[in-house]
Amino acid sequence: MLSQSIIVLPRTDRYPIQAKAPIQEKRGPDRHRSRRLIEGLPRIMNEPWSKRHKADFKGCKYSLSNSFAEPLSHAELVKYTKDEELLRLYKEHDLTYVPNGGSMDLRQDIARVMYDSKLSAENILVFSGGQVAIQTASLAFASGCHSIAFTPGYQSTVESPGWALHNEGITKIERRPENDWQIDTKLLRAAIRENTKYMIINEPHNPGGIVMPKELQQDVIEICRENGIAILCDEVYRLLEHNPSETRIPAMANAYERGISCVTMSKPWGGCGISIGWLACSDSSMIQKLVDVQYFGTACCSRASEIQGRMVLAASDAILEDRRNIILKNKALLQDFIENKYPEWFRWRRPNAGAIAFLEFKGPLTSEQLGDCLREASISIKPTYCFVDDITSALESYFRVGFGEAKFHLALEALDKFVQANESAWRDSNPK
């Protein structure tokens, strides 16, 4: 049944902000379905899904949670930079405000490097990272309409349309492992209403680590074009395809006239601390709407970050090649771990993009319970509760691992020892 994979949320445009609103809890037999609402905020704002994870796994020696490529150091970035003028700019830049939405030189570089000059600087809007960019887009385009999002996913890509005032609700469509975490176009068509005008997707997909085929991208775009729906595509893992010549798809800003691409320096290049992200769109009226909303948020970033961003873009190919090599080496280790050493306990849809994978634990524990045990061994993972608000039985055994860092092998070795120490007890346990 199509309805089994679609979760329809109620309208949220009539919920006023109350200074002392009580914290409410959804009650039911399934403890995973408990969800709290933050006191003092409208009911459209839920607690961060990763809030508990950050508290529970704080201080773990081995991290399988991180989702970025190997982080850059500034010294490494300087070595990559062959342009002496960029190095001079960084050493001598002043500390005045940069223009709202980014300086012209950075926006020109983004248009040239990322969009093959099919877009211009006027089509780029720079932010202090990707998170605020996603929020800005939803505030601009989800107000006064019904939106569509997909789950499991990064919380902002799933819930941000509900943060817009006067929104007409969100329909969440499940992406399922048996469909390789791909978007089901039948479910998409079934979710569209007359007032559906905004959709947010994540390609390559987080936490699945899989990018949609180009044919599917075209089908999704055509469905949205027929219905006048704007698409925000969170593309933070784009450029980290494991085999770019076979699997890379066009940026949404290039592929669709009402498409918006969201990108950040943190994931593909490992430039987490640069804190530069952007939105790209070919429609000038949509860009202007984003500019108007951005004005009341974090309108500009630091000049130092902008110049570092330009340095990254100037050396983009070399940095990406290095980061991809690390990812592919680690993926081979993880593939051997899952498919050869421990197929009794783990299963996955083999990822083809990014530095993440969504694993299924086949033993007698949910991913939350497994995470509790791993925490005692000082190993951090991202359980299902970091990617959904309501955990179903179909997803309760899944957890995300990141394999983008050079030190990944140490965390995998720790996980290997953990499995060896516990698999006998798992075999003796009753099935879930």
Side-chain angles (χ1 to χ4, degrees):
M1 297 290 291
L2 295 180
S3 60
Q4 291 179 337
S5 296
I6 299 178
I7 306 168
V8 182
L9 299 188
R11 288 181 55 170
T12 55
D13 62 325
R14 301 292 193 267
Y15 298 157
I17 298 177
Q18 300 180 11
K20 294 183 179 180
I23 295 179
Q24 302 182 30
E25 182 174 339
K26 185 194 295 182
R27 300 187 182 277
D30 185 351
R31 62 190 175 95
H32 294 297
R33 291 181 178 274
S34 174
R35 179 173 62 183
R36 295 187 173 222
L37 308 178
I38 302 177
E39 183 176 350
L41 295 178
R43 282 183 279 172
I44 54 177
M45 297 289 284
N46 294 323
E47 284 187 342
W49 297 342
S50 290
K51 178 179 179 180
R52 176 182 156 203
H53 173 270
K54 291 182 182 299
D56 286 353
F57 291 93
K58 184 178 181 179
C60 284
K61 181 178 180 180
Y62 303 103
S63 177
L64 291 169
S65 299
N66 296 332
S67 60
F68 43 74
E70 174 68 14
L72 277 168
S73 68
H74 182 68
E76 185 182 10
L77 182 57
V78 168
K79 289 182 180 180
Y80 272 118
T81 303
K82 309 302 180 184
D83 188 334
E84 293 296 328
E85 176 63 15
L86 280 178
L87 294 174
R88 185 193 66 78
L89 281 175
Y90 187 82
K91 292 178 182 179
E92 300 178 6
H93 72 274
D94 58 44
L95 299 180
T96 60
Y97 284 121
V98 303
N100 288 5
S103 298
M104 178 61 71
D105 53 6
L106 174 60
R107 291 188 290 123
Q108 287 175 333
D109 286 354
I110 291 170
R112 174 178 51 82
V113 174
M114 297 296 296
Y115 305 102
D116 302 320
S117 296
K118 295 177 182 177
L119 302 181
S120 69
E122 285 68 32
N123 301 113
I124 310 297
L125 201 61
V126 176
F127 295 82
S128 297
Q131 177 78 280
V132 68
I134 292 173
Q135 296 167 1
T136 299
S138 287
L139 292 174
F141 300 112
S143 179
C145 72
H146 168 256
S147 301
I148 294 174
F150 296 84
T151 185
Y154 184 59
Q155 188 171 6
S156 290
T157 67
V158 176
E159 293 201 330
S160 61
W163 304 341
L165 292 177
H166 310 299
N167 73 82
E168 298 286 340
I170 316 169
T171 296
K172 297 179 182 179
I173 302 176
E174 289 185 340
R175 298 172 69 142
R176 295 181 174 272
E178 60 267 26
N179 194 34
D180 288 335
W181 305 114
Q182 299 290 358
I183 291 174
D184 188 323
T185 55
K186 292 181 180 178
L187 298 179
L188 173 56
R189 288 188 181 277
I192 294 174
R193 306 175 186 173
E194 185 176 347
N195 65 335
T196 305
K197 298 303 172 188
Y198 183 63
M199 183 173 81
I200 183 166
I201 64 176
N202 179 202
E203 292 294 334
H205 177 240
N206 174 21
I210 293 177
V211 64
M212 63 169 53
K214 187 175 182 180
E215 296 76 18
L216 178 57
Q217 184 194 45
Q218 288 302 312
D219 289 345
V220 169
I221 288 173
E222 190 55 40
I223 291 170
C224 290
R225 181 180 286 126
E226 292 170 0
N227 292 276
I229 299 171
I231 304 175
L232 172 78
C233 187
D234 179 356
E235 298 174 351
V236 297
Y237 296 101
R238 189 171 180 270
L239 304 185
L240 283 183
E241 299 86 358
H242 301 170
N243 190 341
S245 63
E246 293 187 5
T247 58
R248 182 170 297 167
I249 60 177
M252 187 58 68
N254 280 343
Y256 179 37
E257 63 276 8
R258 288 186 57 76
I260 310 163
S261 293
C262 178
V263 184
T264 176
M265 287 280 173
S266 62
K267 305 304 183 187
W269 298 280
C272 310
I274 296 175
S275 295
I276 288 287
W278 63 84
L279 296 175
C281 181
S282 64
D283 188 309
S284 59
S285 65
M286 292 175 68
I287 285 288
Q288 185 57 55
K289 197 167 185 177
L290 290 165
V291 168
D292 293 345
V293 174
Q294 186 193 40
Y295 181 85
F296 297 100
T298 307
C300 60
C301 51
S302 75
R303 184 56 177 160
S305 291
E306 285 197 331
I307 298 170
Q308 285 181 314
R310 293 191 63 202
M311 293 163 69
V312 167
L313 291 170
S316 178
D317 289 344
I319 295 172
L320 290 173
E321 181 180 5
D322 180 74
R323 269 55 192 170
R324 186 179 295 109
N325 287 338
I326 293 172
I327 287 170
L328 292 178
K329 178 181 178 181
N330 291 341
K331 178 185 174 182
L333 295 175
L334 186 57
Q335 182 174 330
D336 181 64
F337 177 89
I338 295 169
E339 298 181 10
N340 297 326
K341 297 187 72 173
Y342 299 114
E344 179 181 2
W345 304 119
F346 301 97
R347 177 163 49 208
W348 68 347
R349 303 289 168 164
R350 193 183 298 170
N352 64 8
I356 52 175
F358 212 28
L359 276 58
E360 180 186 7
F361 180 60
K362 297 161 64 178
L365 306 173
T366 67
S367 67
E368 179 180 351
Q369 294 165 339
L370 178 65
D372 291 341
C373 295
L374 285 168
R375 183 181 65 243
E376 297 302 315
S378 202
I379 302 171
S380 170
I381 60 168
K382 279 284 185 80
T384 309
Y385 64 73
C386 294
F387 305 101
V388 296
D389 52 357
D390 290 314
I391 300 177
T392 64
S393 59
L395 291 178
E396 67 178 0
S397 299
Y398 282 85
F399 64 98
R400 194 193 74 184
V401 300
F403 52 93
E405 298 178 88
K407 61 182 180 181
F408 166 79
H409 67 285
L410 299 176
L412 189 63
E413 289 169 5
L415 180 60
D416 194 319
K417 293 178 181 177
F418 172 85
V419 174
Q420 291 181 39
N422 288 277
E423 59 180 345
S424 178
W426 293 340
R427 293 191 185 101
D428 294 338
S429 297
N430 293 325
K432 286 181 292 182

